[in-house]
Every structure is written in structure tokens, then in C-alpha cells.
Amino acid sequence: MLDIVARFKLQGTPIGCIEFGSGHINRTYLVVTNQPHLYVLQNVNTHTFPDARGLMRNVIMVTEHIRKKVQDPRQVLELVPTVDGQMYILEDGNQLWRVYEYVNGSICLDQAESVEDFRQSGKAFGTFQRQLADFPAEELTEVIPNFHHTPRRYEALHRAIEQDCMNRASQVKEEIAFFLEREASAGELTGLLASGQLPLRVTHNDTKLNNVMLDEKTREPLCIVDLDTVMPGLAAYDFGDAIRFGASEATEDERDLSKVRMSLELYRAFTEGFLSVCGESLTERERETLPEGARLMTIENGIRFLTDYLQGDTYFHIARPEHNLDRARTQMVLTRDMESKWADMKRIIREV
Ligand code: GN1
Ligand code: MG
């Protein structure tokens, strides 16, 4: 790995690469040098992202756009060029390597340590949304077409159930039934988009709390990371995925399901943070659809984890045999909990 790193224009001599982060798709390493300068090396999964050049074009355009609007260089990710002036290395057509400056003095959380942290992450994603409000969406490559098209995700689940290539379907009948019961409502947001009732925005599409870097001292937002899925999308997707992940009182792969529930306190804090920054730029209809975004993103991730389990865990990295099934189950419990808190979720949006 050090020979790859050596091809980037670093300050100091790289002396080690340590795997870090909790991404399910790419491999991420902290690069330590003989100077107090740290870098982040990533090997991008080109199985998931086959259009490596299109993806990097998006990342470059989006970071350049945001850079014009910030004061502190830590407020936007910064790619480090190679010694021959390229922004990344692409080898054999499918080995994509890139290096970012490490965001100094930052922390990244898998779970909010306080309500305030989560409010700040709402501000962070609201700011991201606002910074890109004047970005020409049509110039972005749609790196994963239909990424949040929930009905398409259901089609994939149906195929996986029919093929049942691992003979696992009979063990997860309850889980399958849970998601199929909700299939009829899966097209609500895509329907509103198709009929022109919701505007297409530039969205992040993977708004997990651990994609926000907070300042370790002030605990205020620095920047958003993981820009690989920045594509045209709906505001409700970004709001919703953030709630799914960060307002849950348990981690995404918690095995003790009695711990899994959505905290209305966290939900309110995120909503306040998010809408304080971008609320006025959203239409009334968009604001109304935010709770449905949360429910839908939870169902969608649930069916993606279940589909991957049925297909033999080929998409998301797993650390134990039933990891994807555990993840699918937390999403079920969370969906049910949101459904039971539906009136409150709607009311909080109105109040905020
Ligand atoms: C993946 O790369 P990572 O771990 O931040 C996935 C998201 C899922 C998420 C679930 C490109 O995100 O869509 O919501 O796992 N990214 C891709 O934790 O599929
Ligand atoms: Mg990530």
C-alpha cells in the first residue's frame, strides 16, 4: 500500500497505513507520515461504482463548488494530487485510489453522544444542501442510477427471493413478509417527483452521522465526507437517511432489538438543525414529505440488507455471518417504531 501512497504528492514520507472508518463499501486507511501531517487513502469499490471517472468528476466538481463558499479549509474535503498532477490513480480500469487531506481536529461519530451533536449534524447536512442549491445538477453523473428508487429496490428483493441462491429465504420468512407488507407505499416519493410535485435537488444520498466531521473542540460541523453518491435526489432522502441512522438509539447492526427505537428528541434536534439552515429553501410540500423520507429510507436500507443476505453478502462488507440479517432486523424495528410515532413526527415538522 505504501507504494501506492508514494505516488501522491505528500508532505513528509509515509510510514504506515492503518485501516479505519466504518464504511460498508470502500476501504479507507489513515496514512501516517514522518511529519505531523496525516492523510486518508481510499480504495474505491469499483464493483459498486463502475464509472470511476464519472464518480471522481462529481467529487472534484462538488468540492470545488463548496470550496468557493467556505473560509476554513477544513470545511470541505480536499483531494491530494499525485506527483504527476492527477487527482486520483485508476489502474487496470478498476483499481481506483485517492487521497484526501485528513481533517485536522475533527471527530466522526457512529452514534450521537449528545442531542446537541445530532442537532449539529442536521446543520451540517442543511448547509451541504444549501451550498449545492446553485450547483448545476445536470452536470453530475448519476453514478448509481435509481439509487433511492425504492420500488426498484423492491424489484431486486423479489428477484433475490425467487433465485434464493443461498437457500436462505425459508429462514427469513418473517422478515420478507414485513417488507412486502409495506411495498404498496414504497412509491410515494418517486410518484410525487414524477408528477412534478417535488423538485429534484443535488443531494448527498448517504447522510449517515458518520459522514459528518465535527470540530473536536466546539463540536460544530466542519465538513461532510463520503461524496461518492452525490447525485440528483430528493431533500426527503437526505433528511430521512440521517434520521434512520442517527436518531436510532442503537447502532445499525445492534443484535439486542429491544434497544432499537427512534428517539423523538433526536428527531426534533436534527429537524431543528437541518431546517434552520435550509428550511426556507424547501417547498412546503418538501417539508411535509420529510417524515416519509425517514420511514422510506429505513425500509429501503432494510430491504437492501435483506437482499444482500439472500444473495450471499456480496454488496455490503460484513464482519460476521448474519451481519446483513442483523442490520435488516434493526431497520424493521425502527420502521415499526416510526410508524407508531407517525403523528408526532409530522407534528414536530410543523412546529419546527
Ligand atoms: C453504505 O459506504 P457507506 O457505508 O457510507 C451504502 C449506503 C447505505 C449504508 C448503510 C454506495 O454506505 O447506501 O445506506 O451503507 N452506500 C452505497 O449503512 O451503497
Ligand atoms: Mg460513509
Side-chain angles (χ1 to χ4, degrees), residues 187-200:
E188 189 182 321
L189 296 187
T190 47
L192 289 172
L193 174 66
S195 61
Q197 296 178 74
L198 287 176
L200 201 59

Side-chain angles (χ1 to χ4, degrees), residues 247-290:
S248 170
E249 289 182 15
T251 54
E252 188 179 66
D253 58 358
E254 175 60 58
R255 274 184 275 199
D256 178 356
L257 295 175
S258 70
K259 290 186 182 157
V260 181
R261 65 185 85 86
M262 190 204 58
S263 152
L264 280 173
E265 193 188 8
L266 288 171
Y267 173 86
R268 179 187 281 277
F270 185 91
T271 305
E272 286 170 355
F274 187 75
L275 291 182
S276 71
V277 184
C278 73
E280 280 170 22
S281 62
L282 303 182
T283 66
E284 195 182 338
R285 196 59 189 266
E286 271 181 305
R287 291 193 296 263
E288 278 168 14
T289 57
L290 298 179

Side-chain angles (χ1 to χ4, degrees), residues 294-346:
R295 197 186 75 99
L296 208 61
M297 288 300 100
T298 310
I299 293 174
E300 185 180 287
N301 274 276
I303 59 181
R304 290 175 65 195
F305 293 139
L306 186 60
T307 303
D308 200 32
Y309 180 72
L310 290 170
Q311 289 180 326
D313 310 299
T314 58
Y315 188 90
F316 296 105
H317 293 160
I318 54 166
R320 52 180 190 255
E322 301 208 326
H323 211 160
N324 273 317
L325 184 56
D326 293 339
R327 290 169 178 149
R329 286 177 175 153
T330 62
Q331 304 306 292
M332 289 165 55
V333 175
L334 207 52
T335 302
R336 208 179 275 129
D337 195 43
M338 287 180 189
E339 289 167 350
S340 75
K341 293 172 176 160
W342 198 239
D344 289 324
M345 288 172 71
K346 290 256 190 208

Side-chain angles (χ1 to χ4, degrees), residues 23-25 49 147 206 208 226 244 252 301 304 315-316:
H24 299 342
I25 308 290
F49 297 109
F147 191 60
D206 187 8
K208 299 201 284 194
D226 196 353
R244 169 192 83 77
E252 188 179 66
N301 274 276
R304 290 175 65 195
Y315 188 90
F316 296 105

Side-chain angles (χ1 to χ4, degrees), residues 53-195:
R53 289 183 198 285
L55 176 145
M56 288 309 294
R57 214 178 128 258
N58 284 356
V59 172
I60 293 166
M61 286 194 299
V62 165
T63 51
E64 280 177 359
H65 187 87
I66 297 177
R67 186 159 303 111
K68 290 185 205 129
K69 305 187 173 192
V70 300
Q71 267 103 46
D72 182 342
R74 298 181 304 161
Q75 286 174 313
V76 62
L77 275 183
E78 188 174 347
L79 283 164
V80 176
T82 63
V83 283
D84 48 13
Q86 306 298 308
M87 297 313 278
Y88 54 91
I89 292 174
L90 181 61
E91 271 178 347
D92 310 323
N94 66 5
Q95 281 303 314
L96 173 59
W97 297 92
R98 68 179 171 213
V99 171
Y100 287 116
E101 290 284 347
Y102 181 81
V103 185
N104 284 315
S106 67
I107 51 165
C108 160
L109 305 170
D110 278 312
Q111 266 192 295
E113 288 170 6
S114 69
V115 175
E116 199 44 39
D117 281 348
F118 198 45
R119 185 192 319 278
Q120 294 300 331
S121 81
K123 274 195 193 160
F125 284 117
T127 304
F128 186 83
Q129 173 87 210
R130 208 185 52 191
Q131 286 167 333
L132 293 172
D134 59 346
F135 185 93
E138 63 286 353
E139 284 186 21
L140 287 173
T141 303
E142 205 181 342
V143 283
I144 303 180
N146 299 313
F147 191 60
H148 284 314
H149 195 293
T150 317
R152 293 283 169 83
R153 298 290 187 179
Y154 264 105
E155 287 168 20
L157 175 63
H158 282 292
R159 280 196 299 276
I161 297 168
E162 272 155 37
Q163 287 164 356
D164 194 18
C165 62
M166 304 297 289
N167 282 317
R168 289 176 170 175
S170 62
Q171 304 152 30
V172 292
K173 281 192 186 128
E174 261 180 55
E175 289 78 2
I176 292 175
F178 177 91
F179 289 112
L180 294 188
E181 273 163 30
R182 285 157 179 82
E183 186 171 5
S185 61
E188 189 182 321
L189 296 187
T190 47
L192 289 172
L193 174 66
S195 61

